[in-house]
Amino acid sequence: MKLAMIGLGRMGANMARRLMRGGHEVVAFDLNQDSVKRLGEEGAATASSLGDAVAQLASPRVVWVMLPAGAPTERVVEALGELLGAGDVIIDGGNTYFKDDVRRARALAPKGIRYVDVGTSGGVWGIDRGYCLMVGGAPEAFALVQPILRTLAPGPGDIPRTPGRQEAQGGAQSTSEEGYLHCGPVGAGHFVKMVHNGIEYGLMQAYAEGFDILKNAAGERLPEEHRYALDLGEIAEVWRRGSVVGSWLLDLTAIALAESPELAGYSGFVQDSGEGRWTVMAAIEEAVPAEVLSSALYARFRSRHDHTFAEKVLSAMRHKFGGHLERPAGG
C-alpha cells in the first residue's frame, strides 16, 4: 500500500522504516525537513507540506498521523479534513484521548472521511520487534488499512499459543495472535491503549518500589545481622530467568542497571504523558476501584519533588522502552 506518514519523531520515523521494509510506499512529512530528508535518503517519497503529501496519494488515500496528543494532532486532523474526501482514511496512531477520537470522527463523517484510532505500543524498539496495535474504527476502514497493520505488528513470532484458547473460541482465528486487534468502533483502540498505559504505570511502580527496598536493605537503620549488600543488576538478571515476575520491563531494568548500578544518569523526575490520568478518570466514571493505578500516577506527581531510587528506576524504564528523556540529574 501507499500511505503518508505525518510526524517523523521517535515512533513515526521508525514505523515508516518498518513499513518500507515490508514493501509499502511511504510519503514522509514533518515540519523538521531534516527528518524528511533522512527518510527520503532511505527510500521514502518526501513532501514539503501536508497538501503535497496528500497530492502524492491515490484514492482511497490513507494518512497516518503520528504526533503528540492534543493540539499538534488536532491541527493536522483539521487540516486533513479540508484536504481529503469521501472514502479517504485518517489514522491517528498517537496517544489521543478516546473522547477526542469520537468527536473528530463525528466532524469528518459528513465529508465521508473515515477515521481510525490506533493505540500503538512498542517504543523505540518497535522497528525490529514490531508494534502492538489496538484499533478503533468502522469494520470497512479496518479492513482497508489491515495490510499496514499487519506489517507494523510483530506477528506470531515464537510466543507459544495460549493453552485452550483455540478450543474456547471454537477454532476461530483472531489477529490478536499477530499483535494487532480491531477493538471496536472509533475510540475503542485508544481506550484500550489508555488502560494499557495505566497498567504500565502500575507495573513500573511495583518494580521500582521493589528495587528501592532491595537497595535500602544495607541501610544503617537496620540491625547489622539483617543488612544485605545486594547486587541489583544480578537480581534483575536472575529474575529474568524463570521467575513469575519476568517481563520486558524487567529486561529493560536489567539493561539500565548493567549500564549504571546507581542509575547515575537519571534524576528520578518522572513524567506522565496523559494516559495514566485518563485511565483513573475512566475508573471514576465507571465507579471501578483502581487503587494501584491511582497510586502509581500519584507517585509520578511526587517524583517531581523529592526523588528516591525507585523514581530513578521508573525514569530508566521510560528511557529504555520509549526513548523518553527525563530531566537530567542535577537539572
Side-chain angles (χ1 to χ4, degrees):
M1 287 187 69
K2 188 172 185 178
L3 73 152
M5 179 66 73
I6 311 300
L8 305 175
R10 287 190 304 264
M11 294 281 281
N14 279 348
M15 292 171 76
R17 291 182 177 103
R18 186 172 174 90
L19 287 168
M20 290 189 291
R21 289 179 188 175
H24 299 277
E25 296 179 75
V26 174
V27 180
F29 174 68
D30 192 284
L31 292 177
N32 184 335
Q33 284 295 300
D34 288 339
S35 298
V36 176
K37 182 181 178 182
R38 281 195 294 272
L39 261 293
E41 291 169 350
E42 297 176 39
T46 61
S48 57
S49 66
L50 274 179
D52 184 21
V54 170
Q56 296 185 52
L57 302 175
S59 184
R61 294 168 290 192
V62 177
V63 181
W64 189 301
V65 180
M66 203 66 195
L67 294 168
T73 297
E74 190 74 27
R75 287 193 294 267
V76 168
V77 171
E78 285 182 3
L80 288 171
E82 299 300 318
L83 294 167
L84 298 174
D88 294 339
V89 179
I90 297 173
I91 302 172
D92 178 6
N95 284 323
T96 290
Y97 187 36
F98 73 98
K99 293 182 180 179
D100 289 336
D101 292 317
V102 175
R103 171 179 53 78
R104 291 174 191 158
R106 188 180 296 125
L108 293 166
K111 299 180 180 181
I113 300 171
R114 296 173 284 187
Y115 183 96
V116 176
D117 54 288
V118 179
T120 306
S121 182
V124 295
W125 299 70
I127 185 172
D128 296 315
R129 288 170 55 102
Y131 302 88
C132 176
L133 305 171
M134 296 143 269
V135 187
E140 61 272 17
F142 172 75
L144 177 66
V145 303
Q146 198 166 177
I148 299 169
L149 303 174
R150 187 176 293 115
T151 298
L152 288 171
D158 58 0
I159 298 174
R161 306 193 78 169
T162 301
R165 186 172 182 277
Q166 267 196 308
E167 292 78 2
Q169 293 185 318
Q173 296 296 310
S174 169
T175 62
S176 61
E177 290 188 347
E178 297 181 48
Y180 70 99
L181 180 68
H182 183 222
C183 298
V186 169
H190 277 146
F191 185 85
V192 173
K193 176 58 164 45
M194 174 189 79
V195 177
H196 164 285
N197 281 28
I199 293 169
E200 178 185 293
Y201 279 34
L203 292 172
M204 291 172 68
Q205 188 64 30
Y207 280 124
E209 292 177 9
F211 279 102
D212 206 4
I213 294 168
L214 293 171
K215 180 176 175 57
N216 284 283
E220 292 184 359
R221 69 181 63 188
L222 298 170
E224 189 171 353
E225 66 270 22
H226 295 163
R227 295 179 199 166
Y228 304 103
L230 301 169
D231 187 323
L232 303 190
E234 289 296 289
I235 291 169
E237 191 62 34
V238 77
W239 282 356
R240 292 182 61 225
R241 303 172 189 281
S243 165
V244 296
V245 300
S247 73
W248 187 39
L249 285 172
L250 182 61
D251 296 346
L252 298 174
T253 304
I255 293 171
L257 288 168
E259 291 172 349
S260 172
E262 296 297 320
L263 301 180
Y266 301 95
S267 67
F269 181 100
V270 185
Q271 278 288 6
D272 68 288
S273 52
E275 300 89 345
R277 300 187 190 206
W278 301 334
T279 302
V280 172
M281 288 165 56
I284 293 169
E285 291 175 354
E286 298 170 9
V288 172
E291 297 96 332
V292 171
L293 306 192
S294 299
S295 295
L297 174 64
Y298 297 146
R300 295 196 176 198
F301 296 163
R302 185 195 65 224
S303 78
R304 293 154 213 176
H305 302 283
D306 299 321
H307 304 318
T308 66
F309 188 76
E311 284 144 5
K312 289 189 175 187
V313 175
L314 286 175
S315 186
M317 280 189 275
R318 275 175 54 82
H319 179 250
K320 287 300 178 189
F321 72 70
H324 305 286
L325 298 175
E326 312 285 13
R327 182 180 295 175

